[in-house]
Amino acid sequence: MNSFSIKYIIQFLVLVLIQVLVLDHVLLLGYINPYIYILFILMLPFDINRIYILFIGFLLGISIDFFNDTGGVHAASTLLIAYLRPFILRLSFGLSYDYKSINLKKADFKKQFLYVVIMVFIHHLLMFSLEYFSVNYVLDILKNTIYSTIFSSILIIIILRLFKT
Amino acid sequence: MQQIIKFFIRNKVGILFVVLFAISIQLSIQSHTYHKSKWVSSTNTLSAFLLNIRYNVTKYFELNEENKKLQYENVYLKKRLHNAIQPINDSVILDSLYTFKPCYIISNSYSKVDNYVLINKGLSDGVDVNYAVSLPNGILGIVEKSTENYSRVISILNTNLSINAKLKASNHFGSLQWDGLNPNTIYLKDLPRSASFNIGDTIVTGSNSLIFPKDIPIGLIKDYELNENIGYYNIEVKLFEDMTNINHAYVIIPKKIKQAKSLINTNNE
């Protein structure tokens, strides 16, 4: 086990603990809950094996589910963004993704913003759809997705900017 | 054969994704059905342990408010005790049908459609599945899963649960259900047309259930509408208890439930 993987294990644990012990109990304006744990998926090295990232996504999501009593809601949504990540990277960073030379923290703000917002939006949309699990709640699903996407994205971008090193 | 293996190797990412995705969806569907054994649950040792640590840290911030609440509750009970027409002596209490086990809520949730609450009492405290849990000013739900030291309660703020409830003034009853939206309002459905009531009347738990003792206050009638087609009222009830700010609860342990159940069974035969 090298220092590289230890760094990621610590990151994983810290993000899960912050999410389940602090953020899940902070409801902004009464019902908006920010989800920042997916930052882990966003920050993984861009050339990581696609099999690994699927397993990591599933594991990350199910850890959150174990605290929130939500079955497999977080597992499914985190798995989906883990699977879609290469496509979204190409979409938001363009050609440079293929050269494996981009650095998320030092990237152009516009590209970074696009990447974070698309990933967060897809994750939140599937998560709220599975959580409500009924077509009767379409408007609530959309409302919650949009509000939570705004808050989660702002938090994630602030964290990325703060810890630039 | 070789073709098949080659196919699997070529599409391994896609196949792995589909398999894991199917597992998560299956777990999600299970979490939306009541009375299904759930593997993913916060009653597991690690989650409950960490949530308990969190509770132990944060409980001090709410101590003042919590004391006030308990005092109000005591005042209410003392009023009932000392103003009772028949004096209540210890033999009545010993002979009662239910015992109450105090517990703390270590993880509360109210912003989803299917909410669960984790409490810090489990099998070793005599708490078991299908026991009712009440709050100082209302009801919390029914115990759904118990481990040694923790239990998961299916909250009344869960669209899968429906509880028998009635008007305080008469014996007309209906079923109490949540619509998944506002954590302060719940709906009393299927109340017969012949019932008469006014806005502001109290709703209490009904006597048609072996889980909840009858006459626990739940909330006030806020609004109502009559469904002309089927002739039943649909009543909007405002809960007495603020479900977003609860700290302690009581598990209601039935003492004579087996006798009652065997009686019902012999009647049916």
Side-chain angles (χ1 to χ4, degrees), chain B residues 199-226:
Chain B
I199 287 178
D201 281 1
T202 309
I203 300 290
V204 296
T205 49
S207 44
N208 283 19
S209 141
L210 285 177
I211 296 176
F212 275 102
K214 63 174 185 172
D215 293 333
I216 301 179
I218 297 170
L220 295 174
I221 297 176
K222 199 171 141 198
D223 203 0
Y224 63 89
E225 57 175 17
L226 180 65

PDB file of all heavy atoms in Angstrom, chain B residues 199-226:
ATOM      1  N   ILE B 199     -63.623  21.786  12.814  1.00  0.00           N
ATOM      2  CA  ILE B 199     -62.199  22.110  12.696  1.00  0.00           C
ATOM      3  C   ILE B 199     -61.669  22.441  14.087  1.00  0.00           C
ATOM      4  O   ILE B 199     -62.316  23.175  14.836  1.00  0.00           O
ATOM      5  CB  ILE B 199     -61.995  23.271  11.710  1.00  0.00           C
ATOM      6  CG1 ILE B 199     -62.232  22.744  10.296  1.00  0.00           C
ATOM      7  CG2 ILE B 199     -60.602  23.879  11.831  1.00  0.00           C
ATOM      8  CD1 ILE B 199     -62.125  23.747   9.205  1.00  0.00           C
ATOM      9  N   GLY B 200     -60.536  21.857  14.463  1.00  0.00           N
ATOM     10  CA  GLY B 200     -59.984  22.078  15.797  1.00  0.00           C
ATOM     11  C   GLY B 200     -60.210  20.915  16.738  1.00  0.00           C
ATOM     12  O   GLY B 200     -59.672  20.899  17.831  1.00  0.00           O
ATOM     13  N   ASP B 201     -61.007  19.913  16.313  1.00  0.00           N
ATOM     14  CA  ASP B 201     -61.217  18.731  17.148  1.00  0.00           C
ATOM     15  C   ASP B 201     -59.954  17.882  17.211  1.00  0.00           C
ATOM     16  O   ASP B 201     -59.109  17.925  16.319  1.00  0.00           O
ATOM     17  CB  ASP B 201     -62.356  17.870  16.583  1.00  0.00           C
ATOM     18  CG  ASP B 201     -63.716  18.447  16.940  1.00  0.00           C
ATOM     19  OD1 ASP B 201     -63.734  19.501  17.597  1.00  0.00           O
ATOM     20  OD2 ASP B 201     -64.727  17.853  16.547  1.00  0.00           O
ATOM     21  N   THR B 202     -59.854  17.082  18.278  1.00  0.00           N
ATOM     22  CA  THR B 202     -58.651  16.273  18.473  1.00  0.00           C
ATOM     23  C   THR B 202     -58.807  14.887  17.837  1.00  0.00           C
ATOM     24  O   THR B 202     -59.875  14.287  17.878  1.00  0.00           O
ATOM     25  CB  THR B 202     -58.376  16.100  19.980  1.00  0.00           C
ATOM     26  OG1 THR B 202     -58.392  17.384  20.573  1.00  0.00           O
ATOM     27  CG2 THR B 202     -57.036  15.444  20.220  1.00  0.00           C
ATOM     28  N   ILE B 203     -57.700  14.406  17.270  1.00  0.00           N
ATOM     29  CA  ILE B 203     -57.635  13.046  16.727  1.00  0.00           C
ATOM     30  C   ILE B 203     -56.776  12.213  17.678  1.00  0.00           C
ATOM     31  O   ILE B 203     -55.706  12.661  18.092  1.00  0.00           O
ATOM     32  CB  ILE B 203     -56.978  13.047  15.325  1.00  0.00           C
ATOM     33  CG1 ILE B 203     -57.765  13.914  14.345  1.00  0.00           C
ATOM     34  CG2 ILE B 203     -56.816  11.647  14.782  1.00  0.00           C
ATOM     35  CD1 ILE B 203     -59.077  13.362  13.942  1.00  0.00           C
ATOM     36  N   VAL B 204     -57.226  11.021  18.025  1.00  0.00           N
ATOM     37  CA  VAL B 204     -56.451  10.153  18.919  1.00  0.00           C
ATOM     38  C   VAL B 204     -56.288   8.774  18.272  1.00  0.00           C
ATOM     39  O   VAL B 204     -56.959   8.468  17.281  1.00  0.00           O
ATOM     40  CB  VAL B 204     -57.146   9.995  20.293  1.00  0.00           C
ATOM     41  CG1 VAL B 204     -57.223  11.322  21.024  1.00  0.00           C
ATOM     42  CG2 VAL B 204     -58.532   9.410  20.130  1.00  0.00           C
ATOM     43  N   THR B 205     -55.402   7.955  18.837  1.00  0.00           N
ATOM     44  CA  THR B 205     -55.242   6.610  18.278  1.00  0.00           C
ATOM     45  C   THR B 205     -56.511   5.796  18.550  1.00  0.00           C
ATOM     46  O   THR B 205     -57.160   5.948  19.581  1.00  0.00           O
ATOM     47  CB  THR B 205     -54.047   5.876  18.916  1.00  0.00           C
ATOM     48  OG1 THR B 205     -54.146   5.986  20.320  1.00  0.00           O
ATOM     49  CG2 THR B 205     -52.737   6.450  18.460  1.00  0.00           C
ATOM     50  N   GLY B 206     -56.813   4.909  17.635  1.00  0.00           N
ATOM     51  CA  GLY B 206     -58.051   4.142  17.726  1.00  0.00           C
ATOM     52  C   GLY B 206     -57.904   2.891  18.570  1.00  0.00           C
ATOM     53  O   GLY B 206     -56.820   2.547  19.041  1.00  0.00           O
ATOM     54  N   SER B 207     -59.013   2.211  18.766  1.00  0.00           N
ATOM     55  CA  SER B 207     -58.978   1.009  19.595  1.00  0.00           C
ATOM     56  C   SER B 207     -58.953  -0.267  18.751  1.00  0.00           C
ATOM     57  O   SER B 207     -59.026  -1.362  19.278  1.00  0.00           O
ATOM     58  CB  SER B 207     -60.182   1.012  20.532  1.00  0.00           C
ATOM     59  OG  SER B 207     -61.328   1.393  19.813  1.00  0.00           O
ATOM     60  N   ASN B 208     -58.826  -0.110  17.418  1.00  0.00           N
ATOM     61  CA  ASN B 208     -58.849  -1.290  16.561  1.00  0.00           C
ATOM     62  C   ASN B 208     -57.477  -1.880  16.302  1.00  0.00           C
ATOM     63  O   ASN B 208     -57.288  -2.633  15.365  1.00  0.00           O
ATOM     64  CB  ASN B 208     -59.451  -0.930  15.202  1.00  0.00           C
ATOM     65  CG  ASN B 208     -60.939  -0.819  15.305  1.00  0.00           C
ATOM     66  OD1 ASN B 208     -61.473  -0.663  16.394  1.00  0.00           O
ATOM     67  ND2 ASN B 208     -61.614  -0.913  14.182  1.00  0.00           N
ATOM     68  N   SER B 209     -56.514  -1.491  17.108  1.00  0.00           N
ATOM     69  CA  SER B 209     -55.173  -1.980  16.844  1.00  0.00           C
ATOM     70  C   SER B 209     -54.598  -2.544  18.135  1.00  0.00           C
ATOM     71  O   SER B 209     -54.844  -2.032  19.221  1.00  0.00           O
ATOM     72  CB  SER B 209     -54.315  -0.815  16.326  1.00  0.00           C
ATOM     73  OG  SER B 209     -53.037  -0.886  16.850  1.00  0.00           O
ATOM     74  N   LEU B 210     -53.856  -3.630  17.995  1.00  0.00           N
ATOM     75  CA  LEU B 210     -53.223  -4.208  19.180  1.00  0.00           C
ATOM     76  C   LEU B 210     -51.870  -3.574  19.446  1.00  0.00           C
ATOM     77  O   LEU B 210     -51.241  -3.820  20.456  1.00  0.00           O
ATOM     78  CB  LEU B 210     -53.046  -5.714  18.996  1.00  0.00           C
ATOM     79  CG  LEU B 210     -54.311  -6.549  19.127  1.00  0.00           C
ATOM     80  CD1 LEU B 210     -54.003  -7.998  18.844  1.00  0.00           C
ATOM     81  CD2 LEU B 210     -54.910  -6.395  20.502  1.00  0.00           C
ATOM     82  N   ILE B 211     -51.425  -2.747  18.511  1.00  0.00           N
ATOM     83  CA  ILE B 211     -50.094  -2.170  18.640  1.00  0.00           C
ATOM     84  C   ILE B 211     -50.130  -0.916  19.509  1.00  0.00           C
ATOM     85  O   ILE B 211     -49.406  -0.807  20.491  1.00  0.00           O
ATOM     86  CB  ILE B 211     -49.505  -1.872  17.248  1.00  0.00           C
ATOM     87  CG1 ILE B 211     -49.312  -3.187  16.488  1.00  0.00           C
ATOM     88  CG2 ILE B 211     -48.193  -1.137  17.362  1.00  0.00           C
ATOM     89  CD1 ILE B 211     -48.838  -3.023  15.084  1.00  0.00           C
ATOM     90  N   PHE B 212     -51.002   0.024  19.158  1.00  0.00           N
ATOM     91  CA  PHE B 212     -51.087   1.257  19.938  1.00  0.00           C
ATOM     92  C   PHE B 212     -52.193   1.167  20.983  1.00  0.00           C
ATOM     93  O   PHE B 212     -53.290   0.713  20.679  1.00  0.00           O
ATOM     94  CB  PHE B 212     -51.391   2.434  19.014  1.00  0.00           C
ATOM     95  CG  PHE B 212     -50.166   3.016  18.376  1.00  0.00           C
ATOM     96  CD1 PHE B 212     -49.850   2.721  17.064  1.00  0.00           C
ATOM     97  CD2 PHE B 212     -49.325   3.839  19.099  1.00  0.00           C
ATOM     98  CE1 PHE B 212     -48.716   3.248  16.482  1.00  0.00           C
ATOM     99  CE2 PHE B 212     -48.197   4.361  18.520  1.00  0.00           C
ATOM    100  CZ  PHE B 212     -47.888   4.071  17.214  1.00  0.00           C
ATOM    101  N   PRO B 213     -51.924   1.617  22.214  1.00  0.00           N
ATOM    102  CA  PRO B 213     -53.010   1.765  23.184  1.00  0.00           C
ATOM    103  C   PRO B 213     -53.964   2.833  22.649  1.00  0.00           C
ATOM    104  O   PRO B 213     -53.536   3.712  21.904  1.00  0.00           O
ATOM    105  CB  PRO B 213     -52.299   2.279  24.437  1.00  0.00           C
ATOM    106  CG  PRO B 213     -50.856   2.173  24.190  1.00  0.00           C
ATOM    107  CD  PRO B 213     -50.637   2.091  22.729  1.00  0.00           C
ATOM    108  N   LYS B 214     -55.249   2.785  23.029  1.00  0.00           N
ATOM    109  CA  LYS B 214     -56.154   3.786  22.467  1.00  0.00           C
ATOM    110  C   LYS B 214     -56.022   5.112  23.196  1.00  0.00           C
ATOM    111  O   LYS B 214     -55.457   5.190  24.291  1.00  0.00           O
ATOM    112  CB  LYS B 214     -57.588   3.274  22.494  1.00  0.00           C
ATOM    113  CG  LYS B 214     -58.134   3.019  23.868  1.00  0.00           C
ATOM    114  CD  LYS B 214     -59.599   2.665  23.758  1.00  0.00           C
ATOM    115  CE  LYS B 214     -60.188   2.529  25.147  1.00  0.00           C
ATOM    116  NZ  LYS B 214     -61.618   2.375  25.144  1.00  0.00           N
ATOM    117  N   ASP B 215     -56.527   6.152  22.535  1.00  0.00           N
ATOM    118  CA  ASP B 215     -56.618   7.505  23.105  1.00  0.00           C
ATOM    119  C   ASP B 215     -55.288   8.210  23.356  1.00  0.00           C
ATOM    120  O   ASP B 215     -55.172   9.024  24.259  1.00  0.00           O
ATOM    121  CB  ASP B 215     -57.430   7.493  24.412  1.00  0.00           C
ATOM    122  CG  ASP B 215     -58.886   7.148  24.163  1.00  0.00           C
ATOM    123  OD1 ASP B 215     -59.338   7.435  23.039  1.00  0.00           O
ATOM    124  OD2 ASP B 215     -59.540   6.587  25.054  1.00  0.00           O
ATOM    125  N   ILE B 216     -54.281   7.914  22.561  1.00  0.00           N
ATOM    126  CA  ILE B 216     -53.076   8.755  22.611  1.00  0.00           C
ATOM    127  C   ILE B 216     -53.344   9.932  21.672  1.00  0.00           C
ATOM    128  O   ILE B 216     -53.662   9.723  20.502  1.00  0.00           O
ATOM    129  CB  ILE B 216     -51.826   8.010  22.113  1.00  0.00           C
ATOM    130  CG1 ILE B 216     -51.583   6.758  22.950  1.00  0.00           C
ATOM    131  CG2 ILE B 216     -50.607   8.914  22.148  1.00  0.00           C
ATOM    132  CD1 ILE B 216     -50.384   5.964  22.490  1.00  0.00           C
ATOM    133  N   PRO B 217     -53.250  11.187  22.164  1.00  0.00           N
ATOM    134  CA  PRO B 217     -53.526  12.321  21.278  1.00  0.00           C
ATOM    135  C   PRO B 217     -52.518  12.400  20.129  1.00  0.00           C
ATOM    136  O   PRO B 217     -51.322  12.147  20.330  1.00  0.00           O
ATOM    137  CB  PRO B 217     -53.418  13.536  22.198  1.00  0.00           C
ATOM    138  CG  PRO B 217     -53.010  13.046  23.516  1.00  0.00           C
ATOM    139  CD  PRO B 217     -52.895  11.581  23.520  1.00  0.00           C
ATOM    140  N   ILE B 218     -53.009  12.697  18.932  1.00  0.00           N
ATOM    141  CA  ILE B 218     -52.118  12.784  17.774  1.00  0.00           C
ATOM    142  C   ILE B 218     -52.060  14.215  17.235  1.00  0.00           C
ATOM    143  O   ILE B 218     -50.990  14.769  17.051  1.00  0.00           O
ATOM    144  CB  ILE B 218     -52.581  11.826  16.660  1.00  0.00           C
ATOM    145  CG1 ILE B 218     -52.515  10.381  17.134  1.00  0.00           C
ATOM    146  CG2 ILE B 218     -51.716  12.002  15.415  1.00  0.00           C
ATOM    147  CD1 ILE B 218     -53.175   9.409  16.212  1.00  0.00           C
ATOM    148  N   GLY B 219     -53.231  14.812  16.979  1.00  0.00           N
ATOM    149  CA  GLY B 219     -53.213  16.153  16.406  1.00  0.00           C
ATOM    150  C   GLY B 219     -54.596  16.757  16.321  1.00  0.00           C
ATOM    151  O   GLY B 219     -55.564  16.191  16.840  1.00  0.00           O
ATOM    152  N   LEU B 220     -54.671  17.932  15.668  1.00  0.00           N
ATOM    153  CA  LEU B 220     -55.934  18.657  15.536  1.00  0.00           C
ATOM    154  C   LEU B 220     -56.417  18.639  14.095  1.00  0.00           C
ATOM    155  O   LEU B 220     -55.605  18.638  13.166  1.00  0.00           O
ATOM    156  CB  LEU B 220     -55.743  20.120  15.944  1.00  0.00           C
ATOM    157  CG  LEU B 220     -55.380  20.420  17.388  1.00  0.00           C
ATOM    158  CD1 LEU B 220     -55.098  21.906  17.520  1.00  0.00           C
ATOM    159  CD2 LEU B 220     -56.503  19.997  18.315  1.00  0.00           C
ATOM    160  N   ILE B 221     -57.737  18.663  13.917  1.00  0.00           N
ATOM    161  CA  ILE B 221     -58.293  18.758  12.561  1.00  0.00           C
ATOM    162  C   ILE B 221     -58.060  20.172  12.044  1.00  0.00           C
ATOM    163  O   ILE B 221     -58.434  21.147  12.682  1.00  0.00           O
ATOM    164  CB  ILE B 221     -59.795  18.427  12.560  1.00  0.00           C
ATOM    165  CG1 ILE B 221     -60.011  16.989  13.014  1.00  0.00           C
ATOM    166  CG2 ILE B 221     -60.385  18.655  11.182  1.00  0.00           C
ATOM    167  CD1 ILE B 221     -61.461  16.595  13.127  1.00  0.00           C
ATOM    168  N   LYS B 222     -57.404  20.243  10.877  1.00  0.00           N
ATOM    169  CA  LYS B 222     -57.076  21.545  10.328  1.00  0.00           C
ATOM    170  C   LYS B 222     -58.003  21.878   9.171  1.00  0.00           C
ATOM    171  O   LYS B 222     -58.391  23.021   8.975  1.00  0.00           O
ATOM    172  CB  LYS B 222     -55.624  21.505   9.836  1.00  0.00           C
ATOM    173  CG  LYS B 222     -54.967  22.847   9.653  1.00  0.00           C
ATOM    174  CD  LYS B 222     -53.488  22.638   9.389  1.00  0.00           C
ATOM    175  CE  LYS B 222     -52.936  23.589   8.352  1.00  0.00           C
ATOM    176  NZ  LYS B 222     -51.662  23.086   7.814  1.00  0.00           N
ATOM    177  N   ASP B 223     -58.367  20.864   8.417  1.00  0.00           N
ATOM    178  CA  ASP B 223     -59.187  21.070   7.225  1.00  0.00           C
ATOM    179  C   ASP B 223     -59.789  19.721   6.854  1.00  0.00           C
ATOM    180  O   ASP B 223     -59.281  18.683   7.273  1.00  0.00           O
ATOM    181  CB  ASP B 223     -58.287  21.575   6.083  1.00  0.00           C
ATOM    182  CG  ASP B 223     -59.112  22.316   5.040  1.00  0.00           C
ATOM    183  OD1 ASP B 223     -60.335  22.412   5.223  1.00  0.00           O
ATOM    184  OD2 ASP B 223     -58.516  22.785   4.051  1.00  0.00           O
ATOM    185  N   TYR B 224     -60.848  19.719   6.078  1.00  0.00           N
ATOM    186  CA  TYR B 224     -61.393  18.423   5.656  1.00  0.00           C
ATOM    187  C   TYR B 224     -62.121  18.551   4.325  1.00  0.00           C
ATOM    188  O   TYR B 224     -62.512  19.650   3.912  1.00  0.00           O
ATOM    189  CB  TYR B 224     -62.343  17.854   6.712  1.00  0.00           C
ATOM    190  CG  TYR B 224     -63.568  18.691   6.972  1.00  0.00           C
ATOM    191  CD1 TYR B 224     -64.737  18.504   6.233  1.00  0.00           C
ATOM    192  CD2 TYR B 224     -63.554  19.662   7.964  1.00  0.00           C
ATOM    193  CE1 TYR B 224     -65.853  19.270   6.470  1.00  0.00           C
ATOM    194  CE2 TYR B 224     -64.671  20.437   8.210  1.00  0.00           C
ATOM    195  CZ  TYR B 224     -65.825  20.241   7.457  1.00  0.00           C
ATOM    196  OH  TYR B 224     -66.913  21.005   7.680  1.00  0.00           O
ATOM    197  N   GLU B 225     -62.275  17.446   3.635  1.00  0.00           N
ATOM    198  CA  GLU B 225     -63.108  17.435   2.440  1.00  0.00           C
ATOM    199  C   GLU B 225     -63.851  16.110   2.381  1.00  0.00           C
ATOM    200  O   GLU B 225     -63.364  15.084   2.866  1.00  0.00           O
ATOM    201  CB  GLU B 225     -62.260  17.644   1.176  1.00  0.00           C
ATOM    202  CG  GLU B 225     -61.167  16.622   1.004  1.00  0.00           C
ATOM    203  CD  GLU B 225     -60.414  16.782  -0.307  1.00  0.00           C
ATOM    204  OE1 GLU B 225     -60.509  17.847  -0.931  1.00  0.00           O
ATOM    205  OE2 GLU B 225     -59.745  15.814  -0.690  1.00  0.00           O
ATOM    206  N   LEU B 226     -65.057  16.162   1.803  1.00  0.00           N
ATOM    207  CA  LEU B 226     -65.875  14.966   1.711  1.00  0.00           C
ATOM    208  C   LEU B 226     -65.767  14.434   0.292  1.00  0.00           C
ATOM    209  O   LEU B 226     -66.010  15.162  -0.668  1.00  0.00           O
ATOM    210  CB  LEU B 226     -67.324  15.300   2.053  1.00  0.00           C
ATOM    211  CG  LEU B 226     -68.314  14.148   2.003  1.00  0.00           C
ATOM    212  CD1 LEU B 226     -67.980  13.109   3.060  1.00  0.00           C
ATOM    213  CD2 LEU B 226     -69.731  14.657   2.211  1.00  0.00           C
TER     214      LEU B 226
END
